[in-house]
Structures are given as structure tokens and as C-alpha cells.
Amino acid sequence: MSKQQPLRPEIGQPVHLDDYDPDYTGDYDSKHAAKEQLEHNRDRMRELQEVLYAEDKHALLIVLQAMDAGGKDGTIRHVMRGVNPQGVRVTSFKVPTPEELDHDFLWRIHQHTPGRGEIGIFNRSHYEDVLVVRVEKLVPENVWQVRYDHINAFEQMLADSGVTILKFYLHISKAEQKERFQARLDDPTKHWKFSRGDLTVRAKWDRYMAAYENALTRCNTEWAPWHIVPANKKWYRNLVISNVIVETLEHLDMHYPEAEPDLDTVVIPD
Ligand code: AMP
Ligand code: MG
């Protein structure tokens, strides 16, 4: 496996997940080495989120996709630790309800996109509609084939409306998934996370990888880029994602809103 690998696949180029090593840890050789940077990122994220919230101008949408046990929940827990909950909203997308299925596939998604001043985190997303839906043949091919274009247009519309979009695919190996499933089986406090259905999905690993490669290729845009995060090592995954979020927020060039004039002359009555 090559020493370097891109975090952001080149736009327009086909993604081959075999080219990406899930064990990759860049220049870091241990959790300990990454700890300081992660702590620093957390502090910075807290500061930046305060301004985002106060300025009430930009929105940030973070999309997390992964196979089962890929680390979506852990990412949210670790990366967002300490951020003011008032400005962050996490939405987990499950099997659609009958009402949701009566609408277009983006209907349920749009209701949860972040408003100005907010960070929205999607634990699964509209991408399920070209992943599980495609592999499990929940709709005919002609229906899911046109969704890539729908998704790009939808995300462009959000971006044009002031939403910065970051999409992360947490890349774990099939062997790592097995270990994490086993850990869930071995620990009674983790049993709730395991379902036999997860093994049915695991059995179709290669088909899911092919579906992911398509989504990562066809929906990788300037306005909503994909990041392929090496995720076998949880600490590296957290570090990479927090790096990207901090860099992105810093680029927004945010400012606290203008205060009312002459606040230094205000006297608070007894
Ligand atoms: P979990 O993330 O373990 O709570 O599981 C949520 C389940 O909902 C996963 O099996 C997803 O594949 C499934 N799911 C999410 N979105 C959709 C969708 N649009 N169509 C079908 N299944 C979905
Ligand atoms: Mg599950």
C-alpha cells in the first residue's frame, strides 16, 4: 500500500476503494501522537462554532456514511465533544416510514438540513437511497439511477443557499467489521447495537463497496466533496474529520455580529 493517499478523491475521477488503505494513519504512528492535535481541534471547534452560531449566517452540514460498525456514532461522540449542543443537531436516518415512502426520497432529508448558525450532522443520509436501496433492490434500477443527478442538484441548491457541505465515508475493512461485530456480541452492554440483519448486509460486502464507489464517484462535487476517511483506527478517523471541520470553519471567515453602538455608556439600573 502506498505511503500517501488522498483524503479527497479527485473530482470526476472514478473511485476504487481498493486503492484506499483503511489502516492508513498518515504521519502518525500512535493514538498518543495524535491526541494533542485532536484536543487542539476540539478547542478550536468550540470557538468557531460560537461564532457560527452568533453570526447566524452560515450553516454546516456534515454527512456520515459507512458500513455497519464503521464508526458513525463514535465519530459524533468524539469529534463533537464539548461543542455547544444548542447549535448542533444530529439526525439519524433509519428505514423510511410509510409516510416518507409516499414522498420523493429527499423530502425527509430536506426537513433536517441545518439552518443558518447551525451545524447539522447526518448519521446516514440521502445516500442510503443509492446504497442499501440499490443493493437490496428496493426500487427498480431506473429509479435509483437518476438519483445521483437529483442528489447533486439538491446539494448544489443547499450550497447556493449558504450551507457548506462536508461528506465523509468512513472506510473500514471487512476484517475490522468482523472484530467490531464480535466485540458487540461479547459485551452485553453492546448487544443492542447488534442485529442479525447486519450479517445479511455483511454477506453482500462487495456489492455495497461497488455501490459506494459509484456514489463516491458520481456525487463528488466542488460544492459537496467526499472525503474517504481511513477508519480502522478510530483515533485517526477522529483526527482526520476534526481537521477537516476546523479547516472548513476557518475558511468561512466568520465574525461576531456588530454590537449595538456605545455599549460602554450603558448603565444597568439597580
Ligand atoms: P442503524 O444505523 O443501525 O440504526 O440502522 C438504520 C437502518 O436503516 C440501516 O439498516 C439502513 O440501511 C436503513 N436505512 C436508512 N435509510 C434507508 C432508506 N432510505 N431505505 C432503506 N433503508 C434505509
Ligand atoms: Mg445497526
Side-chain angles (χ1 to χ4, degrees):
M1 206 54 74
S2 65
K3 187 80 185 77
Q4 289 290 321
Q5 65 182 38
L7 175 59
R8 275 177 64 162
E10 210 175 310
I11 288 167
Q13 294 303 307
V15 169
H16 302 291
L17 283 172
D18 280 345
D19 296 344
Y20 292 81
D21 178 7
D23 277 309
Y24 184 73
T25 57
D27 294 333
Y28 294 86
D29 51 17
S30 71
K31 182 177 182 168
H32 182 73
K35 194 171 178 222
E36 202 176 321
Q37 181 67 29
L38 182 61
E39 296 287 331
H40 169 80
N41 286 348
R42 283 202 191 112
D43 291 344
R44 198 66 196 113
M45 213 184 296
R46 261 195 292 276
E47 295 165 358
L48 289 160
Q49 188 226 352
E50 278 286 319
V51 193
L52 181 92
Y53 188 77
E55 191 181 36
D56 204 23
K57 178 175 171 191
H58 304 277
L60 179 66
L61 173 60
I62 298 168
V63 173
L64 298 176
Q65 282 291 155
M67 295 295 281
D68 291 309
K72 301 184 294 298
D73 299 298
T75 298
I76 297 168
R77 219 171 31 243
H78 285 97
V79 175
M80 305 312 290
R81 181 185 298 167
V83 170
N84 180 1
Q86 192 151 232
V88 180
R89 209 143 43 92
V90 181
T91 311
S92 300
F93 292 97
K94 308 283 183 183
V95 176
T97 64
E99 190 191 18
E100 288 168 349
L101 286 173
D102 277 343
H103 292 81
D104 68 86
F105 76 105
L106 293 170
W107 180 75
R108 68 170 182 160
I109 307 294
H110 203 171
Q111 302 173 51
H112 297 285
T113 56
R116 295 182 204 287
E118 275 187 332
I119 298 179
I121 303 177
F122 283 180
N123 182 341
R124 301 186 191 271
S125 65
H126 41 302
Y127 284 95
E128 293 293 322
D129 292 281
V130 289
L131 294 165
V132 63
V133 168
R134 165 178 164 166
V135 176
E136 306 298 336
K137 299 185 167 59
L138 302 180
V139 300
E141 174 164 357
N142 66 313
V143 174
W144 60 255
Q145 271 292 359
V146 290
R147 287 182 171 171
Y148 301 95
D149 290 340
H150 294 153
I151 289 174
N152 288 338
F154 172 65
E155 291 177 349
Q156 186 164 33
M157 186 271 292
L158 293 177
D160 288 344
S161 314
V163 184
T164 298
I165 305 169
L166 293 173
K167 302 184 298 199
F168 297 100
Y169 167 61
L170 314 182
H171 186 37
I172 58 162
S173 62
K174 197 175 176 188
E176 178 67 20
Q177 188 195 50
K178 183 176 182 179
E179 278 190 30
R180 294 186 186 182
F181 277 171
Q182 192 60 53
R184 290 179 177 186
L185 288 171
D186 293 344
D187 178 351
T189 69
K190 288 186 179 166
H191 284 174
W192 65 276
K193 284 193 180 191
F194 187 84
S195 86
R196 283 186 172 78
D198 294 347
L199 298 185
T200 321
V201 171
R202 174 176 168 80
K204 297 175 193 162
W205 184 273
D206 292 346
R207 271 173 275 172
Y208 274 92
M209 288 304 109
Y212 264 109
E213 285 179 344
N214 253 265
L216 293 166
T217 300
R218 294 175 67 178
C219 298
N220 191 28
T221 56
E222 296 289 352
W223 58 88
W226 273 111
H227 301 76
I228 300 177
V229 181
N232 273 5
K233 301 277 187 293
K234 295 171 184 173
W235 57 267
Y236 189 67
R237 170 202 78 199
N238 294 339
L239 178 68
V240 164
I241 294 175
S242 67
N243 276 339
V244 174
I245 296 173
V246 167
E247 272 170 33
T248 303
L249 289 174
E250 276 176 346
H251 270 94
L252 288 180
D253 188 30
M254 301 179 292
H255 304 278
Y256 280 106
E258 200 83 51
E260 287 180 30
D262 306 322
L263 283 185
D264 53 344
T265 63
V266 173
V267 178
I268 301 173
D270 289 331

